[in-house]
Amino acid sequence: MSRRVADEVFGEWGGWILGVLIAVVLPLLLRAPARVNLLTEVMILGLFATAYNLVLGYGGLVSFGHAAFFGLGAYITAIFLVKFSLPLWAVFIVAPIVGGLVGAIFGFFAARAAHLFVGFLTLAFAQMIWAVFYSFPLIGGVDGIWSVPIGEAFYSPITFYYFTVGIAAVCFLLLHFIVRSPFGLVLQSIRDNRMRSEFVGLNYKRYRIAVFAISAFFSSIAGVLYCMLNRGAYPELLYWATTGNALLTTLLGGMYSFFGPLLGAGIMVVLGDFFIRKTMYWPLVMGIMVILLVLLLPGGIAEWVGKIWTYWTTASYKRLRRSNDVA
Amino acid sequence: MSWGVLLNQTFAGISEAAILFLLAGGFTLIFGTLHVLNFAHGSFYVLGSYTAYTVVALISRITGNFVIALVVAPIVIALFGALIEMTLFRYIYRREFLYQFLLTFGLVLVLGDLVRLIWGTTQYSMARPGFLSGRISILGQPVPVYILFSIGMAGLVGIVLWLVLIKSRFGKLVRAIQQDREMASCLAIHVPSICTGVFAISCWLAGLGGAIAVGSQTIMPGLEVEYSILSFIIVAVGGMGSLGGAAIGALVIGLTDSFGVLFLPRLTLFFIYVVLAVVLLTRPYGLLGRQIIE
Amino acid sequence: MSKTKKKVVYAFLLCVFLVGGGGVYAVAAPPIKIGYVSSFTGLMGEDSTRNLHCWKMVMEEANKTGGLAGRRVELIVRDDKGVPADQARMARDLVYTEKVDLLAGSHSTPTSIAVGQVAKELKTLVIGYGMGSSPVIQRNRYFFRAVPHFTVQTRTMASFAHKKGWKKVALLNPDYSYGHMFSEDTGRWFTKEPGAEVKADLHPKFGCLDYAPYITKLMGIKDLDAILAGLWSGDVTTFLKQAVAYGLFDKIHLVIVLMMPTIEALGKEMPEGIYGVAHFYPWIPGEKVKKFVKAYYDYTGSDPGMEYNGYCSALAYAAAVRKAGTADTEAVINALEGITFDTPTGPMSIRPLDHQGTMRAVLGRTVYKPEYPKHAILEDFYMPDPAKFLPTKEEILKMKPF
């Protein structure tokens, strides 16, 4: 049992170690320490998008309500730290659990819904939550809650970056484990052919609830980190555009691969920052890019990269064989 | 709470519903016929507002400039919409919902910046013509003429549209495509051009809604997202693909907004989404909707 | 080329490089860099652009006479699209990468707070802008603002109501922190007068597009003398358009925060006889004012209004650097606290108590004049001395920071 677990988690251990090394070393390669926050944002958005992809890519459901989990994570952080002066570790325990519970509720209602309606329902529920936080000044209102005291230690961008990498790495490991586990495989089978999985005796409704809960759990963690990054939580984090952003990130990077969303996050944040600094009309540029992406590159960058990788390795293999034959 | 205030609230709510009907009517047409959720719909509405303002400002010396603007602006938006349909939307009809959403999302960004490029971030206000500026007394309450005008216009347009859809040959073709697109194309109906036509009409409606609305509102950038989601809520509540549904949904939202402000202002927004959730759970296709999607 | 010749050429190039580079470095002192981060997207975009113009005007004027403390001034501009995270990130970026000496811009409450936090952490001077940032300042050594707390506006409005002998008023403010603080202060100051009553305290949501419920409610209040409103930006335009249609101002007076974009947008739709309040209008009397208005008009093609705040912020900074003789942050902060400098509307100071300016509020009545064919202007200005309207130390301590 333990050996299997080890296989599943560390199966590509080479890749993981490399990834962690890159994450650790990256900030030192930057020209300016301020840019570290950019990398932190990449990690947070990458975590959020990967959690989102659990539902989208592996679950096969289009959710429009994930902003609720992300935003709730942020708001719980803000409320706990500002209004109740609770310690940070309490936030990291409560926020994901609350997020997971809310996710389960979303999942429960989405479970029976037909394809498109999963999106509509999750949108409606998430907007309900948004409306509450937007309308009541007691929990922030239009402005949100600011000046969140996250502790002197985290004011340094580098410290906070490594903290985020640590938390994100653990989350990625867990998510990867889940995806490779029997649960993840069942999930994909339900995604591929729901009727058949029912014939085999699987209760797809339970799986949908579970996948929403798990995805929400990790989305909330991303929300907590984001609140810490900005020292504040505000209603826009709960608005459906935030889910749209996660969706776009996932599709950009590729929803059929585990690390696709993280790749997408890297591209989104870095490109976004680049364009904002270069032109005042950056939404125009982003919009055009999105449109081009849809028209030309439906599988996302990951699929494109995957295709090139396959081609290159296959070609090399063929060359190798040919040279062996000749010799 | 005097009944005078209640009466005025009803008028205000119905006039808001009138504009929302024009907005949502277009949205539901696209959804019913082309099976696309056009998240960029609000952008056409906003473009309609700005275009109407520009027309009024350009020909400000001419009397009747407002009427001319109301005629010209929606047509401009309709033509622009037709262009967008022919160049972009054509490619996503068969694609999954995800990509449709993404494309329209990208379009929202582009059109939003287009507005900023052309008109900048300045606030504008479109002046109402003299004959629509006053108020009349209904049962002792002052009611602005413009409110009655909005209601009248929306009602008129709604009736004409309904007649076109039910009685005219074009309407028959549209309904045929709504029911079964493949079959319609087999029957030598030129589906693509009718689709363009429907999209153009939808944008015309959105543009008209925007043009009328700004007679009593500031013209500012950044409202397209709000209007897009509003049109979605109305259509989801009232009935997808149904014009009558758009009217009902618009009335529900308009009156809720209007009376909500009187009684429970902070809960109004929340309540609207609760209504949406309840409708989605109990009558998923909306109050008057038919089953269009699989 | 032979080996020795090569060596000579290289040596020569090296010398040129050293001398030239060193010379360039020695001769020109590095410019003073001002990082201007604000949102040029969305609703605040226009204000940000106009304020930027004012900063440019002041700094270009300074550069013409050798700059500040002997150094040229450079403005670096960034758009944060109103997202506080981006505002903070760009602010940090500007401090670390460009090594700016001052952060200017910032606008809405959340973005002001975001940049205030950066200021504290990185010990960089920020001269902010925008109403909502007041509470941040009291706890932040590095944050300054040329504009005073909104109490100057609210209390000017209330004292004007006293002057007119109005007894029953209604308050109309947006439903968020700024709106609530505004109405609370206006109400409190107004009710100091015996017999003065606040009959209604309404809070439409920010960005409200349908004021009908509020308008009819206001019209239903018996013997209402006036409405004191702190609505903001586009809301004012929408409210006025709809209120005029209902005839709200036939019997009820209105005092409202009125800015140039609204005046210009409404054009001939603006009702005459309502009262507008702001910190600056281009028609207030004074020779220096006329000069400034003309200079601004020549520079941008429109009349200045709220961006006067930005102009005074820039003047404050310029005066402080000149007084300190250096752009070093701590020295400039010490110079700023308690400084008095000259502006087109007279001398102005920065209070050490809350790092805010002592600008007065200006209240005028709308009227149409033939010299201004496009829109209404204000006249009959009421410009009380702001000294008693500025918040006291006790009041500041009672305010909650965001």
Side-chain angles (χ1 to χ4, degrees), chain C residues 165-280:
Chain C
W166 297 332
K167 292 293 181 201
K168 296 192 170 63
V169 304
L171 303 173
L172 185 69
N173 291 283
D175 184 23
Y176 69 109
S177 54
Y178 162 78
H180 288 286
M181 294 194 293
F182 208 88
S183 65
E184 198 256 336
D185 199 70
T186 318
R188 189 156 42 93
W189 202 261
F190 179 69
T191 46
K192 279 188 180 180
E193 186 90 352
E197 258 188 278
V198 172
K199 296 295 276 182
D201 184 12
L202 304 177
H203 290 274
K205 74 172 168 65
F206 181 55
C208 176
L209 291 170
D210 184 25
Y211 285 93
Y214 302 97
I215 296 172
T216 46
K217 203 168 190 179
L218 289 166
M219 286 174 78
I221 303 178
K222 262 186 71 146
D223 301 324
L224 188 63
D225 289 315
I227 302 167
L228 305 180
L231 293 178
W232 191 236
S233 172
D235 290 348
V236 178
T237 316
T238 308
F239 171 66
L240 286 175
K241 283 176 78 114
Q242 294 177 4
V244 166
Y246 277 93
L248 180 62
F249 309 127
D250 291 348
K251 300 211 179 84
I252 306 175
H253 293 282
L254 174 72
V255 183
I256 190 167
V257 176
L258 194 61
M259 310 280 183
M260 287 304 295
T262 307
I263 297 177
E264 287 172 356
L266 280 176
K268 296 288 199 210
E269 285 179 272
M270 173 79 78
E272 269 193 311
I274 64 168
Y275 299 95
V277 67
H279 282 292
F280 180 82

Side-chain angles (χ1 to χ4, degrees), chain C residues 313-333:
Chain C
S313 310
L315 286 178
Y317 183 68
V321 175
R322 287 200 174 104
K323 181 167 162 199
T326 162
D328 169 58
T329 303
E330 298 297 323
V332 174
I333 290 180

Side-chain angles (χ1 to χ4, degrees), chain B residues 14-277:
Chain B
I14 300 183
S15 107
E16 199 183 320
I19 308 279
L20 289 176
F21 166 70
L22 291 172
L23 175 72
F27 189 80
T28 202
L29 259 184
I30 294 187
F31 188 52
T33 317
L34 310 172
H35 302 318
V36 174
L37 281 171
N38 181 16
F39 279 96
H41 197 61
S43 307
F44 292 103
Y45 174 94
V46 168
L47 275 170
S49 313
Y50 275 92
T51 311
Y53 162 79
T54 308
V55 172
V56 166
L58 279 178
I59 56 172
S60 55
R61 240 47 83 80
I62 306 177
T63 45
N65 55 359
F66 177 75
V67 175
I68 296 178
L70 275 194
V71 169
V72 168
I75 293 180
V76 170
I77 305 300
L79 289 172
F80 180 64
L83 183 70
I84 300 271
E85 195 270 347
M86 289 192 287
T87 49
L88 289 176
F89 274 80
R90 284 251 168 107
Y91 297 102
I92 57 165
Y93 287 144
R94 305 298 168 107
R95 299 278 292 276
E96 285 168 34
F97 165 70
L98 265 185
Y99 297 104
Q100 293 177 353
F101 165 75
L102 268 194
L103 184 90
T104 48
F105 189 71
L107 199 58
V108 170
L109 291 174
V110 171
L111 291 179
D113 243 13
L114 198 70
V115 165
R116 205 155 59 111
L117 252 168
I118 302 178
W119 285 282
T121 48
T122 324
Q123 270 178 42
Y124 296 108
S125 171
M126 184 177 79
R128 274 169 288 188
F131 68 95
L132 288 177
S133 298
R135 54 198 158 273
I136 66 174
S137 189
I138 297 184
L139 299 173
Q141 290 297 311
V143 179
V145 174
Y146 202 77
I147 284 190
L148 301 170
F149 167 71
S150 314
I151 299 175
M153 276 298 287
L156 184 67
V157 167
I159 294 176
V160 167
L161 204 59
W162 180 75
L163 284 173
V164 164
L165 273 179
I166 304 289
K167 306 275 184 187
S168 80
R169 181 180 149 73
F170 175 76
K172 280 212 186 98
L173 296 175
V174 169
R175 278 182 291 136
I177 296 177
Q178 279 183 352
Q179 284 176 3
D180 195 331
R181 195 191 167 102
E182 303 250 355
M183 211 47 204
S185 62
C186 291
L187 293 174
I189 298 176
H190 194 242
V191 174
S193 52
I194 301 213
C195 287
T196 310
V198 168
F199 198 89
I201 293 179
S202 161
C203 294
W204 183 86
L205 286 168
L208 182 66
I212 296 180
V214 291
S216 47
Q217 289 166 10
T218 324
I219 305 174
M220 293 182 293
L223 292 175
E224 55 263 2
V225 171
E226 197 181 316
Y227 281 112
S228 289
I229 191 137
L230 257 177
S231 45
F232 168 74
I233 298 175
I234 294 170
V235 165
V237 166
M240 307 184 188
S242 152
L243 211 57
I248 300 217
L251 273 170
V252 168
I253 301 295
L255 288 170
T256 306
D257 209 16
S258 189
F259 282 97
V261 168
L262 271 186
F263 298 113
L264 293 161
R266 291 240 172 96
L267 281 175
T268 312
L269 203 54
F270 174 73
F271 187 66
I272 290 179
Y273 285 107
V274 169
V275 167
L276 174 67

Side-chain angles (χ1 to χ4, degrees), chain C residues 82-97:
Chain C
V83 177
D86 290 335
Q87 156 94 213
R89 177 154 47 85
M90 287 178 195
R92 283 205 181 85
D93 197 32
L94 286 171
V95 172
Y96 278 125
T97 327

